[in-house]
Amino acid sequence: GDVYKRQYQRRVHGDQILKMESLPQYDINQFLQEENEFLSKKQPTIFIFCGSTNPETGKSWCPDCVEAEKPISDVVIPIAQEKGIPIIYCKVGERDYWKDQNHPLRKHETFNLKGVPTIFFWHPEGEHKVLVEEQCFKTAVLETLFEV
Amino acid sequence: VFFFLMIRRPPRSTQSRSSAASDVYKRQVVSTQSTWEFNFQFMEEEFDYDYFVIGGGSGGLASAKEAAKFGARVAVADFVTPSPQGSKWGLGGTCVNVGCIPKKLMHFAAGAGELKHDQKECGWDIDVKSQHNWEKMVKNVQKHIKKLNWGYKVELVEKNVKYYNKLASVVDKHTIELNDFKKPAEKVRAKYILIAVGGRPTYPDDVEGAAKYGISSDDLFSLQKEPGKTLFVGASYIGLECAGFLTGLGRESVVMVRSILLRGFDQDVANQIGDYMEKHGTRFIRKSTPTKVEKTEEGRLRVSYLNHETNETLQEEFDTVLFAIGRTAETKKMGLENIGVKLAKQGKVITDDDDRSSVDNIFAIGDCAEGRPELTPSAISAGRYLARRLFNGETSLMDYSYVPTTVFTPLEYGSCGFSEEAAFEKFGQDNVEVYHIKFKPLEWNFLPARGDDGYIKVITNKQDEERVIGFHYLGPNAGEVTQGYSIAIKMGVTKKQWDSTISCLLYTSPSPRDS
């Protein structure tokens, strides 16, 4: 069914722009379970991969992910919303789990992640656009994701 | 010392940036996430940019990015005028879109197909008769190219280089007009201008139907329809490389040659390449040029051609005709002559050792500059050296001697330095010693049918301690092999030093080291 679509719509109140923390979040296991569904939609989709939240600090253990939150909230989320592009926000796990080279998303056929944060603009035809780490800090760079 | 008001650049809106460069760039503020730097060195208010690069190819992009590193305000204008058959492409220039990159991928695809025969003998369960899917290969090649196009766009934004997807022409020595034929044209002013517009395939003007029915390398790598039986007009590296891989991919390929193969290259090796290609299924029509291309009722192309030896006019039908007779610099209609930039006969920009044209603030590098090798790494290097001279006070000039090059014909050819003919001409035949050997790579022995097609030639200058002045390698992995030896040659290796190096590769006897 339209799992992510339901979760997505639940958080839209009129014209309120979604901020990253209020995006529906998938932990790594949920994501791997549902990924086939996301990809089988054959619809351009934005995947955002970040380090999981440290419960003590309330923020991600990954400093780059924390720094990218505002630019992503200012640029990627509003434009995607405007264009009707779904966003899937996945927390890749704890620091040690992510640092292990055998992490499922590092070896993944499609995603093949090299670092976090990663913004992965997935296209059904395979012409994906990927931005990694400090590329996610600059609003001008984030805008290029949506350029034709 | 100038003190400038530190003005916060307004946060970028989510709408596309306005095309007026002057409001954003009037104040030189290089912003990072939370710090503000400004560089007053380039604070020339009368110019929108310190460096305006026309052409977003190998040379242009490299030079622009290097200049931006030193704090210059840089812009790049890149625009692809569609080919006669309507092909166009994104940022990155010829090499990325319709040259080196797709060529090498398709060359590899053809080689991968040939390997099926070796694989079978190696013990793998392979169907040597399996067919090649052209559409799938083109789709994957284009996917890679588009990734590169986007990657370059991101890189320019990251490095604060402004990108105009517009056709640039020069109005005066400091003013550039930019037009995308959709919005009204705009003008910008720059202190230095770099012409890096490269070239495009030349169509013959004396062959009826050439532009109407013929394609070029601009179209081949994105061809949606299977090319079928193809005629390649021209036997320099573009014609031979393309005919070579198309043969390897299982299509009937014919090369029409006016006189010689690979003009400018060592002719002994060029002829061996021709022999190898003929042995492996490419047909050559020699001493001939086309006179007419017309469409048949079945939708094929009928080519009429004149054999210059027999003076006969003959005809043959093909599915595709590709012209690879040469390339012309894209310097026409840019306004260059109007402002005094001197062009050579074929349209290339005449430059001095400093890459400077006849107008003091206008420079040119790469394929569009007169006398420069038409090679990507050479253009990249020249572009970087130029940016360092203009914006970092450096003085090093590009050294164009002993630039290695590789031709990706089915049997690859790497060379560095003089051809035999050029060495004889420069040093005199008596002062030059030529060493050579034919060889067969060891791994070829799974297929007894493969012959001693490998060839190495080393040319030395007897008057200078037998210094190696020319190296020619015909065989697998020619690029990798030649790259290594080119370092030694550039450092002035002598034949004695060459011979004293122990071989690390095995070939069927004799070893190419003993000679």
Side-chain angles (χ1 to χ4, degrees), chain A residues 1 3-4 26-43 45 47 49 88 90 103-113 120 122:
Chain A
V3 175
Y4 65 90
Y26 295 82
D27 71 27
I28 182 65
N29 298 314
Q30 288 172 319
F31 180 80
L32 292 172
Q33 275 175 358
E34 309 210 21
E35 65 161 302
N36 287 327
E37 232 203 283
F38 301 145
L39 301 184
S40 66
K41 292 283 168 187
K42 296 285 177 205
Q43 182 188 9
T45 306
F47 294 90
F49 298 100
I88 308 294
C90 168
H103 187 285
L105 288 176
R106 286 188 189 269
K107 304 245 177 231
H108 196 279
E109 193 184 33
T110 306
F111 297 112
N112 213 248
L113 298 188
F120 197 108
W122 182 88

Side-chain angles (χ1 to χ4, degrees), chain A residues 67 71 74-75 78-79 125-131 134-135 137-141 143-145 147-148, chain B residues 11-17 31-34 139 142-143 146-147 150 153-155 157-160 163:
Chain A
E67 187 154 358
D74 286 345
V75 177
I79 300 182
E125 292 302 300
E127 289 170 19
H128 315 308
K129 294 182 180 175
V130 186
L131 293 176
E134 54 282 351
Q135 289 181 319
F137 299 168
K138 278 191 172 179
T139 54
V141 178
E143 280 168 8
T144 65
L145 280 172
E147 267 172 38
V148 173
Chain B
R12 291 197 185 275
S13 68
T14 54
Q15 291 150 356
S16 52
R17 285 167 292 198
S31 79
T32 56
Q33 179 71 10
S34 55
K139 184 161 172 237
Q142 288 303 315
K143 206 162 80 169
K146 292 205 168 53
K147 195 165 104 171
W150 186 70
K153 262 202 213 171
V154 172
E155 221 183 347
V157 173
E158 281 179 302
K159 297 190 151 90
N160 291 311
Y163 163 52

Side-chain angles (χ1 to χ4, degrees), chain A residues 46-101:
Chain A
I46 293 185
F47 294 90
I48 304 178
F49 298 100
C50 286
S52 300
T53 309
N54 181 343
E56 286 170 33
T57 63
K59 290 187 174 184
S60 171
W61 55 260
C62 160
D64 286 354
C65 299
V66 174
E67 187 154 358
E69 275 174 22
K70 184 166 194 315
I72 292 176
S73 300
D74 286 345
V75 177
V76 179
I77 296 175
I79 300 182
Q81 193 182 23
E82 195 188 337
K83 292 180 186 270
I85 301 170
I87 303 180
I88 308 294
Y89 181 20
C90 168
K91 294 284 181 90
V92 301
E94 300 301 320
R95 192 171 186 277
D96 290 336
Y97 183 41
W98 169 249
K99 293 290 182 188
D100 184 359
Q101 291 304 311

Side-chain angles (χ1 to χ4, degrees), chain B residues 268 272 420 433-439 455-459 472 495 510 512 514-515:
Chain B
D268 164 31
Q272 290 188 48
E420 209 174 315
E433 192 73 67
V434 178
Y435 301 89
H436 66 162
I437 192 161
K438 292 207 67 72
F439 71 94
Y455 182 68
I456 299 180
K457 179 154 68 177
V458 176
I459 303 172
H472 302 270
K495 184 65 166 62
D514 328 316
S515 159

Side-chain angles (χ1 to χ4, degrees), chain B residues 214-249:
Chain B
I215 65 168
S216 71
S217 55
D218 279 357
D219 312 293
L220 180 64
F221 304 108
S222 54
L223 213 57
Q224 297 297 302
K225 206 175 61 110
E226 146 81 61
K229 178 183 174 193
T230 307
L231 173 68
F232 292 88
V233 182
S236 200
Y237 50 84
I238 296 179
L240 292 186
E241 285 174 339
C242 294
F245 72 65
L246 205 62
T247 305
L249 295 173

